Short mmCIF file of all heavy atoms in Angstrom, two decimals:
data_model
loop_
_atom_site.label_atom_id
_atom_site.label_comp_id
_atom_site.label_asym_id
_atom_site.label_seq_id
_atom_site.Cartn_x
_atom_site.Cartn_y
_atom_site.Cartn_z
N VAL P 1 0.84 -1.20 0.00
CA VAL P 1 0.00 0.00 0.00
C VAL P 1 0.88 1.25 0.00
O VAL P 1 0.62 2.21 -0.73
CB VAL P 1 -0.94 0.01 1.22
CG1 VAL P 1 -1.89 1.19 1.15
CG2 VAL P 1 -1.72 -1.29 1.30
N GLU P 2 1.92 1.24 0.84
CA GLU P 2 2.82 2.39 0.88
C GLU P 2 3.56 2.57 -0.43
O GLU P 2 3.76 3.69 -0.90
CB GLU P 2 3.83 2.23 2.02
CG GLU P 2 3.27 2.63 3.36
CD GLU P 2 4.36 2.94 4.35
OE1 GLU P 2 5.54 2.79 4.01
OE2 GLU P 2 4.02 3.34 5.47
N ALA P 3 3.98 1.45 -1.02
CA ALA P 3 4.67 1.54 -2.31
C ALA P 3 3.76 2.18 -3.35
O ALA P 3 4.22 2.95 -4.20
CB ALA P 3 5.13 0.16 -2.76
N ALA P 4 2.45 1.87 -3.29
CA ALA P 4 1.51 2.48 -4.22
C ALA P 4 1.48 3.99 -4.05
O ALA P 4 1.36 4.75 -5.02
CB ALA P 4 0.11 1.90 -4.01
N GLY P 5 1.63 4.44 -2.82
CA GLY P 5 1.64 5.87 -2.57
C GLY P 5 2.90 6.56 -3.06
O GLY P 5 2.90 7.77 -3.28
N ASP P 6 3.98 5.80 -3.22
CA ASP P 6 5.25 6.37 -3.66
C ASP P 6 5.55 6.12 -5.13
O ASP P 6 6.64 6.39 -5.61
CB ASP P 6 6.40 5.79 -2.82
CG ASP P 6 6.45 6.39 -1.43
OD1 ASP P 6 6.08 7.57 -1.29
OD2 ASP P 6 6.85 5.69 -0.49
N VAL P 7 4.57 5.58 -5.87
CA VAL P 7 4.79 5.19 -7.27
C VAL P 7 5.16 6.40 -8.12
O VAL P 7 4.58 7.48 -7.98
CB VAL P 7 3.52 4.50 -7.82
CG1 VAL P 7 3.48 4.54 -9.33
CG2 VAL P 7 3.46 3.06 -7.33
N ASP P 8 6.16 6.20 -8.98
CA ASP P 8 6.58 7.24 -9.92
C ASP P 8 6.14 6.95 -11.35
O ASP P 8 5.93 7.86 -12.15
CB ASP P 8 8.11 7.38 -9.91
CG ASP P 8 8.64 7.72 -8.53
OD1 ASP P 8 8.31 8.80 -8.04
OD2 ASP P 8 9.39 6.91 -7.96
N THR P 9 6.05 5.65 -11.70
CA THR P 9 5.70 5.24 -13.07
C THR P 9 4.55 4.26 -13.01
O THR P 9 4.57 3.30 -12.24
CB THR P 9 6.90 4.58 -13.76
OG1 THR P 9 8.00 5.48 -13.78
CG2 THR P 9 6.55 4.20 -15.20
N LEU P 10 3.54 4.50 -13.85
CA LEU P 10 2.34 3.67 -13.88
C LEU P 10 2.22 3.03 -15.26
O LEU P 10 2.12 3.72 -16.27
CB LEU P 10 1.12 4.56 -13.60
CG LEU P 10 -0.16 3.91 -13.09
CD1 LEU P 10 0.08 3.16 -11.81
CD2 LEU P 10 -1.22 4.98 -12.88
N LEU P 11 2.28 1.69 -15.31
CA LEU P 11 2.14 0.95 -16.56
C LEU P 11 0.71 0.45 -16.69
O LEU P 11 0.20 -0.24 -15.80
CB LEU P 11 3.10 -0.25 -16.60
CG LEU P 11 4.50 0.01 -17.18
CD1 LEU P 11 5.26 1.01 -16.32
CD2 LEU P 11 5.28 -1.29 -17.28
N LEU P 12 0.05 0.80 -17.79
CA LEU P 12 -1.36 0.47 -17.98
C LEU P 12 -1.55 -0.20 -19.34
O LEU P 12 -1.06 0.29 -20.35
CB LEU P 12 -2.22 1.73 -17.91
CG LEU P 12 -2.19 2.49 -16.58
CD1 LEU P 12 -2.57 3.94 -16.81
CD2 LEU P 12 -3.14 1.87 -15.60
N ASP P 13 -2.30 -1.32 -19.34
CA ASP P 13 -2.67 -1.94 -20.60
C ASP P 13 -3.62 -1.02 -21.36
O ASP P 13 -4.50 -0.39 -20.76
CB ASP P 13 -3.35 -3.29 -20.36
CG ASP P 13 -2.34 -4.40 -20.15
OD1 ASP P 13 -1.23 -4.30 -20.69
OD2 ASP P 13 -2.66 -5.35 -19.43
N LYS P 14 -3.45 -0.99 -22.68
CA LYS P 14 -4.36 -0.18 -23.48
C LYS P 14 -5.76 -0.76 -23.45
O LYS P 14 -6.73 -0.08 -23.09
CB LYS P 14 -3.87 -0.12 -24.93
CG LYS P 14 -4.75 0.73 -25.85
CD LYS P 14 -4.62 0.30 -27.30
CE LYS P 14 -5.35 -1.01 -27.55
NZ LYS P 14 -5.38 -1.39 -28.97
N THR P 15 -5.88 -2.03 -23.77
CA THR P 15 -7.19 -2.66 -23.93
C THR P 15 -7.84 -2.87 -22.58
O THR P 15 -7.28 -3.53 -21.71
CB THR P 15 -7.06 -4.00 -24.66
OG1 THR P 15 -6.40 -3.79 -25.90
CG2 THR P 15 -8.43 -4.61 -24.90
N GLY P 16 -9.04 -2.33 -22.42
CA GLY P 16 -9.79 -2.51 -21.19
C GLY P 16 -9.44 -1.53 -20.10
O GLY P 16 -10.17 -1.41 -19.12
N THR P 17 -8.33 -0.83 -20.24
CA THR P 17 -7.92 0.14 -19.22
C THR P 17 -8.05 1.55 -19.78
O THR P 17 -8.79 2.37 -19.24
CB THR P 17 -6.47 -0.12 -18.77
OG1 THR P 17 -6.34 -1.46 -18.33
CG2 THR P 17 -6.09 0.83 -17.65
N ILE P 18 -7.33 1.81 -20.85
CA ILE P 18 -7.39 3.13 -21.48
C ILE P 18 -8.52 3.18 -22.50
O ILE P 18 -9.21 4.19 -22.62
CB ILE P 18 -6.03 3.45 -22.13
CG1 ILE P 18 -4.95 3.55 -21.05
CG2 ILE P 18 -6.10 4.74 -22.94
CD1 ILE P 18 -3.55 3.72 -21.58
N THR P 19 -8.71 2.08 -23.21
CA THR P 19 -9.82 1.99 -24.18
C THR P 19 -10.84 0.97 -23.67
O THR P 19 -10.58 0.23 -22.73
CB THR P 19 -9.32 1.56 -25.56
OG1 THR P 19 -8.82 0.21 -25.49
CG2 THR P 19 -8.20 2.48 -26.04
N PHE P 20 -12.00 0.93 -24.32
CA PHE P 20 -13.05 0.02 -23.88
C PHE P 20 -12.73 -1.44 -24.18
O PHE P 20 -13.37 -2.33 -23.64
CB PHE P 20 -14.39 0.39 -24.54
CG PHE P 20 -15.06 1.56 -23.89
CD1 PHE P 20 -15.05 2.80 -24.49
CD2 PHE P 20 -15.69 1.43 -22.67
CE1 PHE P 20 -15.67 3.89 -23.89
CE2 PHE P 20 -16.30 2.50 -22.06
CZ PHE P 20 -16.29 3.74 -22.68
N GLY P 21 -11.78 -1.68 -25.04
CA GLY P 21 -11.38 -3.06 -25.31
C GLY P 21 -11.94 -3.61 -26.61
O GLY P 21 -11.44 -4.58 -27.15
N ASN P 22 -13.01 -3.01 -27.12
CA ASN P 22 -13.57 -3.41 -28.40
C ASN P 22 -13.56 -2.21 -29.34
O ASN P 22 -13.86 -1.09 -28.93
CB ASN P 22 -15.02 -3.89 -28.24
CG ASN P 22 -15.11 -5.15 -27.41
OD1 ASN P 22 -14.39 -6.11 -27.65
ND2 ASN P 22 -15.99 -5.14 -26.42
N ARG P 23 -13.21 -2.47 -30.60
CA ARG P 23 -13.29 -1.39 -31.58
C ARG P 23 -14.74 -1.00 -31.78
O ARG P 23 -15.63 -1.84 -31.82
CB ARG P 23 -12.68 -1.84 -32.90
CG ARG P 23 -11.20 -2.15 -32.84
CD ARG P 23 -10.73 -2.74 -34.14
NE ARG P 23 -11.50 -3.93 -34.49
CZ ARG P 23 -11.48 -4.53 -35.66
NH1 ARG P 23 -10.73 -4.03 -36.64
NH2 ARG P 23 -12.20 -5.59 -35.90
N MET P 24 -14.99 0.28 -31.89
CA MET P 24 -16.36 0.78 -32.03
C MET P 24 -16.43 1.73 -33.21
O MET P 24 -15.46 2.41 -33.54
CB MET P 24 -16.80 1.48 -30.75
CG MET P 24 -16.77 0.59 -29.52
SD MET P 24 -17.19 1.47 -27.99
CE MET P 24 -18.92 1.82 -28.28
N ALA P 25 -17.60 1.76 -33.85
CA ALA P 25 -17.81 2.65 -34.99
C ALA P 25 -17.79 4.09 -34.53
O ALA P 25 -18.52 4.47 -33.60
CB ALA P 25 -19.13 2.32 -35.67
N ALA P 26 -16.95 4.90 -35.17
CA ALA P 26 -16.81 6.31 -34.78
C ALA P 26 -17.44 7.25 -35.79
O ALA P 26 -17.94 8.31 -35.42
CB ALA P 26 -15.34 6.65 -34.59
N GLU P 27 -17.41 6.89 -37.10
CA GLU P 27 -17.99 7.78 -38.11
C GLU P 27 -18.23 7.01 -39.40
O GLU P 27 -17.62 5.97 -39.67
CB GLU P 27 -17.05 8.96 -38.38
CG GLU P 27 -15.68 8.56 -38.93
CD GLU P 27 -14.82 9.75 -39.30
OE1 GLU P 27 -15.38 10.78 -39.71
OE2 GLU P 27 -13.58 9.63 -39.21
N PHE P 28 -19.17 7.53 -40.20
CA PHE P 28 -19.41 7.05 -41.55
C PHE P 28 -18.79 8.06 -42.51
O PHE P 28 -19.00 9.27 -42.38
CB PHE P 28 -20.91 6.91 -41.85
CG PHE P 28 -21.61 5.89 -41.00
CD1 PHE P 28 -22.58 6.26 -40.10
CD2 PHE P 28 -21.29 4.55 -41.12
CE1 PHE P 28 -23.23 5.32 -39.33
CE2 PHE P 28 -21.93 3.59 -40.35
CZ PHE P 28 -22.91 3.97 -39.45
N ILE P 29 -18.03 7.56 -43.49
CA ILE P 29 -17.39 8.44 -44.47
C ILE P 29 -17.95 8.08 -45.85
O ILE P 29 -17.57 7.06 -46.45
CB ILE P 29 -15.86 8.26 -44.44
CG1 ILE P 29 -15.32 8.52 -43.03
CG2 ILE P 29 -15.19 9.19 -45.46
CD1 ILE P 29 -13.85 8.20 -42.88
N ALA P 30 -18.87 8.89 -46.34
CA ALA P 30 -19.50 8.63 -47.64
C ALA P 30 -18.61 9.16 -48.76
O ALA P 30 -17.97 10.21 -48.63
CB ALA P 30 -20.88 9.28 -47.70
N LEU P 31 -18.58 8.44 -49.86
CA LEU P 31 -17.82 8.88 -51.02
C LEU P 31 -18.59 10.00 -51.74
O LEU P 31 -19.80 10.14 -51.56
CB LEU P 31 -17.58 7.71 -51.96
CG LEU P 31 -16.62 6.63 -51.46
CD1 LEU P 31 -16.45 5.54 -52.51
CD2 LEU P 31 -15.27 7.22 -51.10
N PRO P 32 -17.90 10.79 -52.52
CA PRO P 32 -18.57 11.87 -53.25
C PRO P 32 -19.74 11.33 -54.08
O PRO P 32 -19.61 10.31 -54.76
CB PRO P 32 -17.46 12.44 -54.15
CG PRO P 32 -16.20 12.15 -53.40
CD PRO P 32 -16.43 10.82 -52.74
N GLY P 33 -20.88 12.01 -53.99
CA GLY P 33 -22.07 11.60 -54.74
C GLY P 33 -22.95 10.61 -53.99
O GLY P 33 -24.02 10.25 -54.49
#
């Protein structure tokens, strides 16, 4: 617990931690016309 309070560097997995873990639709890009 004390070591957690003194932490200088935090390593975090991208998937499930920083992102939701599943790719999600962000936008539709229609072609001209």
Side-chain angles (χ1 to χ4, degrees):
V1 185
E2 279 201 356
D6 285 328
V7 159
D8 301 297
T9 302
L10 202 58
L11 270 64
L12 298 156
D13 277 331
K14 181 205 74 174
T15 305
T17 305
I18 296 174
T19 66
F20 281 105
N22 295 311
R23 296 173 304 168
M24 301 176 68
E27 62 175 329
F28 295 115
I29 304 173
L31 291 181

